[in-house]
Amino acid sequence: MPAITDSVQFVKGIGPKKVKLFEKLHISTLQDALETYPRDYEDRTQITRIADIADEDRYAVRAILGTEPKVSRIRKGMTLVKCTIFDESGSLGVTWFNQPYITAQLRVGQEYLFYGRVQGCGRARQMISPQAEKVAENDQNPGRIVPVYPLTAGLTQRDMARVTEAALDAVPGDWPDPLPEVLRVKYRLPDAADALAAIHRPKNREDVNEARRRMVFEELFLLCCGLQQLRERRRADSGILFRGDRLEQFFAALPFAPTGAQRRAIMEIAADCASGRPMNRLVQGDVGSGKTVVAAALCALAAQNGWQAAFMAPTEILAAQHAETLSPMLGKLGLTCTLLTGSMTAAQKRAALAAIESGAANVVVGTHALIQQSVVFHRLGAVIADEQHRFGVAQRAALSAKGEMPHVLVMSATPIPRTLALIMYGDLDVSILDETPPGRSPVETYAVGENMRRRITAFIEKQLAAGGQVYVVCPLVEDGEGDSRLKSAEQHAKDLQAQLPHRRVAVLHGRMKNAEKDAVMRDFAAQKYDILVATTVIEVGVDVPNANLMVVEDADRFGLSQLHQLRGRVGRGTRQSYCVFFGADKGATARERLKILCKTNDGFEIARADLSQRGPGDFFGRRQHGLPALHVADLAADLALMQNAREEAEALLAADPSLSGWPLLKERVHRMFAERDDEAFN
């Protein structure tokens, strides 16, 4: 009998080559296989009669093999196997690509359950490369729910099934459960062993749903326990005391009156900094809500109390822009602002490093150049990270380590519902900027189809003729890298240049070197280009007040929140600004989604719509928001369970802060956070 800790190499049919492939999926032991959950399920229980197949989709069909499977070679390296199957309602052609061995597995007159995608219509209709399982005599319900696992090239679903079966057989009867029994009863959750069996070997959809609910709750509960412990530990630390009695001087130095939301966030920061504990706060605000002013207040607070502030931005051009914005504000208070980026000359760097080390630089703005070993602060008291998701927790920690428990402020322009923010950034306090500074006129937004192409090109020319500038965003970098129907930045830039030969067109995408990207963006900001054709690399970018038109190609391929971020690139100057989304002709769903953006400029409202529409999609893309990797839970879709998990974690830790009464739970929390190298747990 195999043990759960045994290597997968002991499973029949898994040789040394496949062991290496399993390692690519981080599966070395049977336990690793058990903790690798299916990414999807094929429901083969819903059996459809051939005559009832209505459109192109996946179907389970119970049918008899009617003709001998015939192999033909259509070109070198490509074989086709064709045959016909039938049931009492009709017949259907079946084709397998590059599977000549299938002929040895099938027998004319035998009944099988075929599962696969049906393509074409009428007589041309075919089932393509289906799975075929022999139906036993008198088997009334041959269908089953089949798990679909993540794979790597060279591994098959059959390999994964073999290893998972062996792992399930090795689960001991006394399998430990990290969830307290009182919570399993309260939320009607299966125990750990039953949930594992159901998630890998479900009898029906209900099994899958119940098991997933249990796994999600457990994962979120562990996450919330860990975050709560981190927060409590940080609260126990003693921090630098900043007096906030000169805040009014800062407000007076601003060239405008702050919004109520800005003032509220600044007062929350001042209270944190005066509490005697290190601040750990997230300021989250929609595009254009004025987060930089809030950061400036912390910089002023630090400098007025004899400490330095470090402000880290994700790109050189954004760092330079922040320095330009902060210098005059802080200059009025007699404070200096120093810029440090990788592309500065050796002499400029030497001067900046000397000012930082001597303390002559009150506020230092830079890219991740700030965390290099050569940067020595005289007295670092506050750290600000702009665009939180662009920095890992490790980078934030490296900058903080240059001081002794400095106050930390992270800023994000991704508007997400407060409940989600509190859990996503569970070890941070949250301030939300939900007001737009006065004077910013909303961007007029239109969702259009291809029939408007010529009119939009004419509209681009009209805006340029009036002295404006235009962004055009495409989903691909170049032709041939994905869906051929989608626009690529490089080809679309050539097309636009051909249509508007007298205009200056530039291209910007993520495959370019950072220095190239910065140069293009700087030249666009300096009005050396009229049109910038880019990928979403400009989603977080520099202010170009003169740019007043944003055109997004294939907008149906982006999330609503991402489209809202892109729209935020325009409307930053005095010109009336416009945003045009192509994709309204890609079906009713695409049209309805894009309509939401035409109706509102409120990022939080858009985020809520995105959440409800995309459901269990990856709402946050692949951004690094510093949480341990979640294997089953979806931060967006599992909001209700998340709230429950958070409340229960807080209650349990209030009674037992060190989890000494729950050794298995404690060990699992530590293991989860060890994956993200959180030093607080080591």
Side-chain angles (χ1 to χ4, degrees):
M1 188 74 177
I4 197 73
T5 50
D6 282 353
S7 165
V8 295
Q9 73 186 45
F10 298 119
V11 177
K12 193 181 173 189
I14 305 299
K17 263 189 184 172
K18 288 204 168 159
V19 167
K20 282 199 163 54
L21 294 174
F22 272 106
E23 281 169 5
K24 280 190 179 179
L25 295 172
H26 308 291
I27 298 172
S28 301
T29 66
L30 293 181
Q31 178 149 355
D32 295 335
L34 211 54
E35 291 171 2
T36 302
Y37 305 123
R39 61 175 173 78
D40 201 0
Y41 295 89
E42 290 175 352
D43 188 350
R44 302 185 188 175
T45 61
Q46 303 297 314
I47 296 171
T48 306
R49 296 187 327 145
I50 289 172
D52 295 336
I53 292 173
D55 45 24
E56 296 194 353
D57 205 346
R58 290 187 176 277
Y59 291 94
V61 172
R62 182 176 181 164
I64 292 167
L65 187 67
T67 61
E68 199 72 49
K70 288 270 193 315
V71 183
S72 56
R73 272 184 174 71
I74 55 170
R75 64 171 184 270
K76 194 178 178 187
M78 171 69 87
T79 62
L80 284 186
V81 176
K82 288 195 157 198
C83 64
T84 304
I85 62 174
F86 67 90
D87 64 9
E88 79 286 354
S89 73
S91 63
L92 180 66
V94 179
T95 304
W96 283 273
F97 291 96
N98 287 342
Q99 294 178 52
Y101 54 82
I102 205 88
T103 55
Q105 298 172 7
L106 300 173
R107 213 177 74 241
V108 173
Q110 172 66 51
E111 190 176 27
Y112 297 90
L113 185 73
F114 294 93
Y115 180 82
R117 180 171 290 283
V118 174
Q119 291 181 351
C121 55
R123 290 189 170 185
R125 202 160 55 183
Q126 296 274 316
M127 185 175 260
I128 308 297
S129 298
Q131 300 288 317
E133 290 183 20
K134 191 173 169 183
V135 175
E137 246 182 285
N138 303 322
D139 187 350
Q140 297 305 307
N141 302 301
R144 59 195 178 97
I145 304 279
V146 179
V148 180
Y149 292 94
L151 295 176
T152 189
L155 282 184
T156 65
Q157 290 296 337
R158 186 170 290 181
D159 295 326
M160 283 298 294
R162 272 198 190 114
V163 169
T164 310
E165 287 289 325
L168 284 170
D169 290 341
V171 172
D174 57 348
W175 186 252
D177 196 326
L179 270 188
E181 190 180 354
V182 63
L183 295 184
R184 294 205 306 271
V185 171
K186 182 174 178 179
Y187 293 99
R188 299 194 302 284
L189 302 170
D191 67 29
D194 288 347
L196 280 170
I199 213 144
H200 288 294
R201 213 187 265 162
K203 294 185 181 68
N204 49 49
R205 268 285 169 194
E206 194 52 37
D207 270 9
V208 174
N209 295 341
E210 284 302 297
R212 186 184 178 278
R213 211 172 126 260
R214 147 76 209 218
M215 301 291 192
V216 167
F217 187 90
E218 177 184 323
E219 194 167 50
L220 293 173
F221 182 68
L222 293 175
L223 176 71
C224 292
C225 282
L227 291 173
Q228 184 70 9
Q229 283 191 305
L230 280 180
R231 180 182 278 210
E232 288 309 318
R233 270 173 215 196
R234 287 178 181 146
R235 282 194 174 141
D237 294 329
S238 53
I240 303 160
L241 268 174
F242 288 175
R243 286 180 24 242
D245 52 354
R246 289 158 76 185
L247 264 182
E248 286 310 318
Q249 283 181 2
F250 170 77
F251 288 131
L254 292 176
F256 47 78
T259 64
Q262 284 172 321
R263 196 175 262 273
R264 189 169 60 246
I266 290 167
M267 298 318 281
E268 285 168 348
I269 287 166
D272 285 354
C273 294
S275 70
R277 293 188 302 265
M279 174 176 74
N280 233 19
R281 184 168 286 277
L282 165 75
V283 169
Q284 184 197 308
D286 204 351
V287 177
S289 57
K291 293 181 293 296
T292 313
V293 170
V294 176
L298 176 58
C299 293
L301 207 55
Q304 288 167 339
N305 279 274
W307 295 83
Q308 289 169 295
F311 191 149
M312 188 161 60
T315 63
E316 292 207 355
I317 195 158
L318 206 50
Q321 188 177 291
H322 281 319
E324 278 170 38
T325 307
L326 291 171
S327 288
M329 273 189 222
L330 299 171
K332 284 187 184 175
L333 301 170
L335 305 173
T336 61
C337 186
T338 299
L339 181 66
L340 181 67
T341 61
S343 66
M344 286 163 65
T345 65
Q348 287 172 324
K349 274 186 197 162
R350 271 197 305 277
L353 291 171
I356 294 166
E357 191 166 0
S358 70
N362 301 124
V363 176
V364 186
V365 182
T367 53
H368 48 264
L370 292 178
I371 62 179
Q372 289 170 354
Q373 225 170 345
S374 56
V375 182
V376 179
F377 283 86
H378 177 65
R379 208 167 176 236
L380 181 63
V383 167
I384 298 148
D386 188 20
E387 292 308 336
Q388 151 66 10
H389 60 266
R390 300 285 162 128
F391 295 111
V393 169
Q395 286 169 302
R396 230 166 64 200
L399 184 53
S400 294
K402 292 185 177 290
E404 284 187 28
M405 306 300 288
H407 296 295
V408 176
L409 181 70
V410 293
M411 307 201 297
S412 173
T414 309
I416 51 176
R418 188 181 183 88
T419 320
L420 197 44
L422 286 169
I423 291 150
M424 254 189 83
Y425 304 101
D427 55 341
L428 303 177
D429 297 304
V430 180
S431 293
I432 291 183
L433 299 180
D434 49 9
E435 289 175 59
T436 307
R440 285 194 62 154
S441 55
V443 177
E444 283 187 26
T445 305
Y446 303 94
V448 301
E450 275 303 315
N451 61 331
M452 292 286 282
R453 176 68 59 186
R454 286 175 66 182
R455 283 181 66 182
I456 297 305
T457 305
F459 188 62
I460 289 173
E461 175 56 35
K462 184 181 173 185
Q463 296 310 310
L464 297 177
Q469 285 170 283
V470 178
Y471 289 106
V472 179
V473 173
C474 300
L476 305 180
V477 171
E478 58 188 13
D479 281 1
E481 67 165 355
D483 190 328
S484 60
R485 293 166 300 179
L486 301 182
K487 292 265 191 303
S488 74
E490 291 190 342
Q491 186 55 49
H492 195 46
K494 288 175 189 164
D495 295 345
L496 275 171
Q497 189 67 82
Q499 289 161 15
L500 304 167
H502 55 298
R503 295 301 179 190
R504 300 158 302 171
V505 180
V507 182
L508 183 72
H509 55 70
R511 288 196 201 150
M512 291 161 67
K513 293 194 169 87
N514 283 341
E516 276 182 281
K517 285 191 282 195
D518 278 347
V520 170
M521 204 65 224
R522 206 173 283 118
D523 286 348
F524 184 63
Q527 299 181 36
K528 291 182 184 174
Y529 294 113
D530 303 306
I531 301 171
L532 181 61
V533 182
T535 56
T536 54
V537 72
I538 61 150
E539 180 188 353
V540 171
V542 68
D543 268 357
V544 181
N546 196 53
N548 70 317
L549 171 59
M550 165 68 69
V551 178
V552 182
E553 299 289 343
D554 303 302
D556 55 301
R557 293 304 180 107
F558 300 96
L560 294 183
S561 292
Q562 194 173 26
L563 292 173
H564 178 62
Q565 291 289 316
L566 290 169
R567 173 167 61 184
R569 296 292 97 221
V570 296
R572 292 168 172 257
T574 51
R575 295 176 184 278
Q576 173 57 55
S577 293
Y578 306 91
C579 186
V580 176
F581 295 125
F582 274 99
D585 52 352
K586 304 273 185 77
T589 307
R591 196 163 48 251
E592 287 309 307
R593 288 180 73 245
L594 295 176
K595 260 192 198 167
I596 293 165
L597 290 152
C598 300
K599 285 179 193 160
T600 181
N601 272 274
D602 182 337
F604 291 91
E605 198 178 312
I606 288 161
R608 276 190 290 274
D610 212 0
L611 222 50
S612 62
Q613 286 192 357
R614 293 171 80 184
D618 189 4
F619 180 63
F620 299 102
R622 300 198 179 281
R623 290 178 177 158
Q624 156 61 290
H625 46 62
L627 289 182
L630 295 177
H631 302 292
V632 248
D634 182 290
L635 284 172
D638 297 312
L639 212 47
L641 269 182
M642 193 187 290
Q643 190 61 31
N644 293 337
R646 181 167 175 253
E647 287 163 7
E648 298 297 350
E650 284 176 359
L652 187 75
L653 284 157
D656 184 357
S658 65
L659 293 177
S660 53
W662 307 94
L664 179 61
L665 176 61
K666 185 176 184 174
E667 184 267 320
R668 288 290 301 278
V669 170
H670 282 229
R671 198 168 95 195
M672 180 186 238
F673 280 75
E675 287 174 13
R676 78 162 194 179
D677 291 331
D678 202 297
E679 289 164 21
F681 277 97
N682 298 330

